[in-house]
Amino acid sequence: MKIIVIGGTGLIGSKTVTKLLASGVQAQAASRSSGVDTTTGRGLTELFAGASVVVDVSNSPTFDGAGALEFFETSTRNLLRAEAEAGVQHHVALSVVGTERLSGSGYMPAKFAQERLIKENSIPYSIVHATQFFESIQKLAGLATDGTTVHAPPVLVQPIAGDDVATMLCNVSVGAPLNATIEIAGPDQYRADELARRRLMARHDLRKVVPDPRARFFGAEVDERSLLPGPDARISQTRFEAWLSQSVERAYGTLRPPEAGSGTRVAGSETWM
Ligand SMILES: NC(=O)c1ccc[n+]([C@@H]2O[C@H](COP(=O)([O-])OP(=O)(O)OC[C@H]3O[C@@H](n4cnc5c(N)ncnc54)[C@H](OP(=O)(O)O)[C@@H]3O)[C@@H](O)[C@H]2O)c1
């Protein structure tokens, strides 16, 4: 089985390729830095020769609505066309929990359009909807910064470790196509403002995080539960506190104790790792 990981140099892609190779699977990363461009189709025909599975974890260089839509529609069409010509049997894509209900955002409808193209195509597929990555919390805080103040909506989030996302993508990509969307999330729920505050504090980032009910998420108005997965979501094991301690240790060389946890354990969650 040869698996091509589009966006294989990115946050999730690089972890996925490493895990697949460690499991003895023939995996190959592809992105513009390796001469493959999904927006033009450059390099796809040669890349897909002999491949049975394509995992798409690429991301748009721009998050504005029109730019992101252009990226995901053009890329997905090019990928699916080249996959059909090469006889690829399984297309796996990573998307975001809530794409179908965050229509006020510019970025989420672009991801929704990507998913629609995949579902309408004849190539068997699996779509994995993940919640926000632990690694992305700081970037998300950056998107909402006004001077030295970060405005975050005080809504519930259930973030997940990038490593756990990659593990799930590996499991899905070596299995039979689901022809469905599954959701994955971390074990604990937080208020988005609380989570951003903890992440910034751990990095000695002095910006102030304020709960702001008018703050948007990628441009979308969100309510208390808009960003949460449904009851059938698969729940991973890595806790934010453990990940934060390790990431602080990697950054500063010392292990600082995490603050007392205030995340809520999700009752009755299925553990998939
Ligand atoms: N951040 C979150 O919290 C979150 C939550 C759920 C789902 N997701 C989804 O997860 C996916 C992966 O996110 P990520 O953070 O791992 O992305 P990332 O780190 O930004 O990586 C993006 C990858 O896409 C590649 N790429 C960009 N343009 C390309 C092009 N034209 N042709 C080929 N490759 C291209 C990049 O490599 P080059 O620059 O070398 O081309 C890179 O390898 C995204 O689709 C996102 O929607 C994110």
Side-chain angles (χ1 to χ4, degrees):
M1 174 184 270
K2 181 177 167 192
I3 300 182
I4 305 295
V5 181
I6 300 289
T9 55
L11 171 69
I12 301 301
S14 54
K15 292 176 186 291
T16 305
V17 171
T18 301
K19 287 174 189 285
L20 285 170
L21 290 172
S23 316
V25 176
Q26 191 189 351
Q28 186 179 336
S31 72
R32 289 170 301 181
S33 53
S34 66
V36 170
D37 190 335
T38 56
T39 59
T40 61
R42 178 170 60 108
L44 291 178
T45 303
E46 302 79 358
L47 180 68
F48 291 163
S52 43
V53 181
V54 170
V55 179
D56 182 13
V57 284
S58 63
N59 208 357
S60 168
T62 167
F63 286 4
D64 81 76
L69 186 65
E70 169 74 15
F71 175 86
F72 283 112
E73 285 194 333
T74 307
S75 293
T76 305
R77 284 197 182 102
N78 286 338
L79 285 171
L80 294 171
R81 191 180 307 120
E83 287 172 33
E85 284 165 10
V88 169
Q89 292 142 33
H90 188 185
H91 180 94
V92 179
L94 179 60
S95 193
V96 191
V97 163
T99 51
E100 67 285 1
R101 54 183 177 263
L102 298 171
S103 56
S105 154
Y107 182 78
M108 298 302 168
K111 294 294 292 180
F112 190 64
Q114 173 191 17
E115 296 172 33
R116 197 184 59 239
L117 288 170
I118 294 167
K119 290 175 187 169
E120 286 171 359
N121 196 276
S122 59
I123 297 175
Y125 72 91
S126 303
I127 295 174
V128 176
H129 266 191
T131 53
Q132 290 65 53
F133 310 149
F134 294 164
E135 290 86 344
S136 302
I137 293 164
Q138 191 156 351
K139 194 162 74 180
L140 295 179
L143 292 174
T145 297
D146 166 18
T148 56
T149 305
V150 174
H151 296 261
V155 300
L156 290 170
V157 290
Q158 197 170 327
I160 184 169
D163 263 325
D164 293 347
V165 176
T167 300
M168 177 54 86
L169 285 171
C170 291
N171 291 340
V172 168
S173 63
V174 299
L178 302 169
N179 292 315
T181 301
I182 59 165
E183 291 188 322
I184 60 172
D188 300 305
Q189 293 181 0
Y190 301 84
R191 297 271 162 198
D193 58 305
E194 175 203 356
L195 193 69
R197 193 173 301 115
R198 291 160 69 113
R199 181 70 186 110
L200 296 190
M201 274 176 63
R203 292 187 65 91
H204 303 289
D205 185 323
L206 298 178
R207 282 177 291 166
K208 187 176 171 203
V209 181
V210 294
D212 180 350
R214 291 164 309 160
R216 291 170 175 239
F217 179 82
F218 277 93
E221 282 180 24
V222 278
D223 65 29
E224 178 88 346
R225 306 190 69 81
S226 305
L227 302 178
L228 294 181
D232 296 329
R234 318 222 181 157
I235 304 300
S236 62
Q237 286 188 331
T238 309
R239 312 198 90 103
F240 181 63
E241 287 78 11
W243 175 89
L244 194 57
S245 324
Q246 281 169 7
S247 86
V248 168
E249 187 184 13
R250 276 197 299 274
Y252 300 106
T254 57
L255 187 61
R256 291 175 171 78
E259 293 167 55
S262 54
T264 314
R265 180 84 188 143
V266 179
S269 305
E270 179 197 353
T271 296
W272 48 263
M273 290 173 57

